[in-house]
Amino acid sequence: MALISKIPSGPLDSKWKTYKSTCKLVNPSNKRKLEIVVIGTGLAGASAAASLGELGYKVKAFCFQDSPRRAHSIAAQGGINAAKNYQNDGDSTYRLFYDTIKGGDYRSREGNVYRLAEVSASIIDQCVAQGVPFAREYGGLLSNRSFGGTQVQRTFYAAGQTGQQLLLGAYQALERQVALGNVDMYSRHEMLEIVTIDGKARGIIARNLVTGELERHFGHAVLLCSGGYGNVFYLSTNAMGSNATAIWKAHKKGAYFGNPCFTQIHPTCIPVTGDHQSKLTLMSESLRNDGRIWVPKQKGESRRADEIPEEERDYYLERRYPAFGNLVPRDVASRAAKERCDAGYGVGSSKMAVYLDFNSAIMRYGKVEAHKQGLANADDAAIRKLGNDVVKEKYGNLFEMYEKITGEDPYKIPMRIYPAVHYTMGGLWVDYELMTNIEGLYALGEANFSDHGANRLGASALMQGLADGYFVVPYTLGNNLADDIRTNAIPTTHPAFEQAEKEVRERIEHMMSIQGKESVESFHKRLGKIMWNKCGMARNEQGLKEAIEEIKALRKEFWSNVRIAGEINEFNPELDKAGRVADFLELGELMCIDALHRNESCGGHFREEYQTEEGEALREDDKFMYVAAWEYKGESNYELHKEALEYEVVHPSARSYK
């Protein structure tokens, strides 16, 4: 099957305008006859459900949490990008587009990325109108700060809880539509199968997680907004419930999976402290806006950070990348931290951490405040107190979170950080309209592969989720449903629904019948160790081949020795998790297969065999400038389809931040 991206013709800066002006429309009375199923109620799902409900469609929204407010989007901290150029520092739609293409190491579509940059400003206007309390300057204008991979300040923020505030805005819009009767909300429901009829997605099979009952739901179209698959690594910054089941079931039903090996390691996370941990805690990348990252110049340093004099500190990012310094992209910063720790310069009890130091920022802000208050002769203690107050206003909740977890005061002692799994750039393959290769099945936000290439720039996840839900899918969905207005709701007694439910029921019964000796958690943890050690921050051919065989063996053991307590038709979180881990055990293998086939390094995919003399990623543009879209052909059997990436405006070059 040929992969047709449906990128509109014409100049890059007019493609989306042309599309919106020429796409097919559905009139209001016909919209009321069309039913849409939305899976997931994070930023992408809540914004899509709210927008489609507002337009008049009949929407069914599903989330496995008890409320849409618990979607993992709430955990995003640092900000959301938009090309408004409030700072007058040279930003523009084109510059945001270029930074995103470059940040993704030239492995994303020009058309999709330019559209993302183009609608970014509208997102901020939308959210302000909803009452999202973005930080503001003294004069009342919205404030911006810096994020990695850029040389301008374009990141809008609400302290260190931007995701929470944006999600509450989308949630309120969603709840308004629920109250009006345009959206039916199904909480504590998990999608376990896509139903297709005559090649089109026509509904889902969902499990009521409270009663255990299986339910059938029809939809003229199905939107998957279920987030990423970072929890395949077990330890990640994702919420523990985050999973890949929705997109993986769609993949096994025929939807292609794009670039599964492109996973992002976030450079500023609280380090692992032991095997007891079940997740990791993110320290926002916004901290690199003001913090300075360093390690001691002496190996095996045992002194406390505040006892090490300035001349004995190595600010290695500033040394290696003078143009961007501490604001290099996440993949570059992560690999640099790993390199320093592997070389013996790590800090903390594990020696697998580096320092993120706010002392310079505190004193800088303090001096500015002292000048503002006319304190010409303020001493260092007074300046530090003033600076602490400014930093507390900007990042206070992050500092409090760090102190609660580590017991250390980051106002006095530098934070210790180390890279951890965070985001997944891979996902279901979609075209320009966000539709998968299965007609009527869409993927939005982190569930698709489309906008970030091999590495996502910070503060772009919230931007993409809201762009897809508020501003893209309301047009593209209508363009396709205009040809479906004569299709009446298909009864869920249709044989396709019967068969899909039968398959789900048999899978659950098989899982429960195993009655083995090992817990679901132990299988997940073992899979995570394989993935992190052999398909994590660095990969090589031998390790990936070993990982594939180890995952196959682990999957075989899972299906013969897993122990699941409880019953099927009841509230059973262990059964829920077992299904998700079973899907991870299949997805993990595909990730390794994809990483093995891509004989190059780019973005977050770092093959040790392909690096420059200075240890930077070495792309092979003549061989791998394509989207790797995998088709499921049966257990451990995948067929590769390639979508060539063509650059009409940006000319790919060696990515340098020096």
Side-chain angles (χ1 to χ4, degrees):
M1 177 179 175
L3 293 174
I4 302 174
S5 64
K6 297 182 184 176
I7 301 292
S9 59
L12 185 64
D13 60 0
S14 65
K15 290 181 186 294
W16 181 233
K17 296 173 188 171
T18 301
Y19 180 93
K20 290 192 295 182
S21 300
T22 58
C23 67
K24 299 174 184 175
L25 301 176
V26 180
N27 81 46
S29 61
N30 283 331
K31 284 175 183 159
R32 291 191 288 270
K33 303 173 186 175
L34 296 172
E35 300 181 33
I36 315 297
V37 170
V38 178
I39 306 301
T41 53
L43 286 181
S47 61
S51 299
L52 297 174
E54 184 77 40
L55 287 171
Y57 293 103
K58 296 167 63 177
V59 180
K60 293 181 179 179
F62 295 79
C63 70
F64 68 79
Q65 302 95 342
D66 60 351
S67 166
R69 289 174 298 174
R70 295 192 183 277
H72 185 59
S73 299
I74 205 168
Q77 297 170 345
I80 176 171
N81 289 330
K84 276 186 169 290
N85 195 31
Y86 279 176
Q87 308 297 317
N88 198 29
D89 57 359
D91 202 7
S92 65
T93 297
Y94 180 84
R95 197 175 293 276
L96 174 53
F97 154 73
Y98 175 78
D99 286 345
T100 306
I101 289 281
K102 178 183 176 183
D105 222 350
Y106 305 97
R107 291 293 177 265
S108 49
R109 285 198 201 117
E110 275 192 341
N112 286 67
V113 176
Y114 193 89
R115 176 177 65 188
L116 177 64
E118 190 176 351
V119 305
S120 65
S122 298
I123 298 171
I124 304 303
D125 296 338
Q126 170 90 2
C127 294
V128 169
Q130 291 174 337
V132 172
F134 286 120
R136 293 179 181 268
E137 302 289 0
Y138 178 77
L141 293 177
L142 297 183
S143 179
N144 290 123
R145 58 188 177 200
S146 300
F147 256 63
T150 72
Q151 292 179 305
V152 298
Q153 295 185 84
R154 65 163 65 103
T155 304
F156 296 77
Y157 64 97
Q161 50 183 253
T162 314
Q164 180 181 15
Q165 299 304 327
L166 291 172
L167 184 62
L168 288 174
Y171 168 73
Q172 290 173 104
L174 172 60
E175 286 301 303
R176 177 173 180 271
Q177 296 306 314
V178 172
L180 292 173
N182 297 328
V183 176
D184 290 330
M185 189 68 230
Y186 293 84
S187 58
R188 290 292 189 188
H189 280 68
E190 184 166 27
M191 189 210 92
L192 295 181
E193 189 60 273
I194 293 286
V195 178
T196 58
I197 299 174
D198 298 328
K200 291 185 177 182
R202 290 303 194 190
I204 64 165
I205 304 298
R207 182 169 182 266
N208 183 321
L209 299 182
V210 177
T211 66
E213 294 177 89
L214 296 181
E215 301 177 4
R216 308 172 188 179
H217 295 275
F218 166 78
H220 287 88
V222 177
L223 278 57
L224 301 183
C225 313
S226 53
Y229 48 92
N231 274 353
V232 70
F233 289 89
Y234 185 70
L235 284 178
S236 82
T237 66
N238 289 271
M240 291 178 63
S242 298
N243 63 84
T245 289
I247 59 174
W248 191 250
K249 298 306 185 191
H251 173 59
K252 294 183 74 172
K253 205 75 171 184
Y256 294 172
F257 209 114
N259 298 333
C261 79
F262 286 169
T263 54
Q264 180 176 79
I265 312 298
H266 198 294
T268 54
C269 297
I270 297 178
V272 177
T273 58
D275 286 340
H276 63 282
Q277 280 185 264
S278 54
K279 81 174 297 294
L280 298 174
T281 303
L282 172 70
M283 287 286 101
S284 170
E285 182 180 334
S286 64
L287 295 173
R288 291 199 282 146
N289 175 46
D290 283 316
R292 300 179 72 193
I293 295 172
W294 61 276
V295 293
K297 290 183 178 179
Q298 178 179 315
K299 289 185 179 180
E301 179 63 73
S302 59
R303 288 175 292 178
R304 285 193 344 176
D306 55 354
E307 296 174 345
I308 301 173
E310 191 72 17
E311 62 272 13
E312 295 182 33
R313 301 179 179 188
D314 177 17
Y315 295 93
Y316 58 89
L317 290 178
E318 298 171 34
R319 169 173 56 82
R320 291 177 59 175
Y321 308 100
F324 282 73
N326 295 294
L327 290 174
V328 292
R330 292 174 175 177
D331 60 320
V332 177
S334 295
R335 282 196 297 273
K338 182 178 186 296
E339 184 275 328
R340 287 290 81 190
C341 292
D342 290 348
Y345 296 95
V347 301
S349 58
S350 67
K351 300 301 180 185
M352 295 300 287
V354 300
Y355 288 127
L356 175 58
D357 194 336
F358 260 74
N359 185 63
S360 296
I362 288 171
M363 297 304 289
R364 184 177 72 251
Y365 284 129
K367 289 175 183 177
V368 172
E369 286 298 305
H371 277 288
K372 285 164 61 176
Q373 297 180 25
L375 304 175
N377 299 313
D379 59 17
D380 283 355
I383 289 173
R384 181 173 295 278
K385 183 180 185 308
L386 292 169
N388 282 345
D389 291 341
V390 175
V391 169
K392 186 174 183 179
E393 184 177 345
K394 285 177 172 283
Y395 310 105
N397 64 308
L398 299 173
F399 278 54
E400 291 171 11
M401 185 162 58
Y402 182 88
E403 185 171 6
K404 284 181 179 179
I405 292 172
T406 66
E408 298 175 358
D409 183 353
Y411 292 101
K412 299 177 181 178
I413 301 173
M415 294 181 183
R416 286 175 290 107
I417 58 168
Y418 192 72
V421 173
H422 179 56
Y423 186 90
T424 51
M425 285 74 67
L428 293 185
W429 181 90
V430 293
D431 59 25
Y432 188 73
E433 297 184 317
L434 304 184
M435 188 162 70
T436 69
N437 56 293
I438 297 178
E439 192 173 349
L441 179 65
Y442 295 76
L444 282 65
E446 194 178 355
N448 74 36
F449 87 98
S450 67
D451 290 10
H452 307 297
N455 172 63
R456 177 176 69 77
L457 291 185
S460 287
L462 307 185
M463 177 173 63
Q464 186 206 351
L466 293 178
D468 288 355
Y470 282 139
F471 298 107
V472 177
V473 85
Y475 285 95
T476 63
L477 182 67
N479 187 56
N480 292 291
L481 289 181
D483 297 327
D484 223 8
I485 57 175
R486 293 182 178 83
T487 302
N488 295 322
I490 299 172
T492 55
T493 54
H494 188 283
F497 281 92
E498 298 270 3
Q499 180 62 28
E501 182 181 327
K502 179 173 178 287
E503 292 171 2
V504 171
R505 192 179 304 281
E506 289 175 350
R507 177 182 170 88
I508 292 174
E509 290 173 349
H510 179 201
M511 203 177 294
M512 289 295 292
S513 70
I514 296 170
Q515 295 297 306
K517 297 181 179 179
E518 196 164 336
S519 70
V520 176
E521 184 83 355
S522 66
F523 282 104
H524 193 186
K525 187 177 288 190
R526 287 164 63 188
L527 171 65
K529 287 184 176 179
I530 296 171
M531 295 299 297
W532 177 249
N533 291 333
K534 298 182 178 179
C535 194
M537 287 183 68
R539 301 108 185 249
N540 60 57
E541 181 178 5
Q542 180 181 345
L544 289 167
K545 287 181 176 178
E546 291 172 355
I548 291 169
E549 296 307 314
E550 289 171 14
I551 293 170
K552 286 180 180 177
L554 185 62
R555 188 167 65 242
K556 183 177 181 182
E557 184 182 346
F558 174 91
W559 285 102
S560 63
N561 196 36
V562 72
R563 181 185 73 249
I564 306 171
E567 303 294 333
I568 294 175
N569 294 316
E570 66 178 11
F571 178 70
N572 191 342
E574 192 71 2
L575 174 58
D576 306 336
K577 181 167 185 176
R580 297 163 191 167
V581 172
D583 294 332
F584 280 142
L585 285 164
E586 296 179 342
L587 171 58
E589 181 183 359
L590 177 59
M591 291 169 65
C592 293
I593 291 171
D594 186 41
L596 181 62
H597 111 275
R598 192 171 281 275
N599 290 324
E600 66 165 353
S601 290
C602 58
H605 169 63
F606 192 74
R607 282 284 297 270
E608 293 174 344
E609 305 95 326
Y610 302 94
Q611 56 182 300
T612 66
E613 292 181 0
E614 297 177 322
E616 305 294 345
L618 183 62
R619 296 197 320 267
E620 298 282 351
D621 289 345
D622 58 329
K623 299 176 183 176
F624 294 99
M625 193 173 281
Y626 59 75
V627 178
W630 296 89
E631 180 182 4
Y632 181 79
K633 291 287 191 178
E635 185 174 334
S636 298
N637 185 11
Y638 302 91
E639 181 180 346
L640 174 62
H641 302 267
K642 301 176 181 179
E643 179 202 337
L645 292 171
E646 299 177 1
Y647 292 95
E648 301 174 9
V649 176
V650 174
H651 301 291
S653 58
R655 195 170 55 136
S656 174
Y657 293 92
K658 296 183 177 181

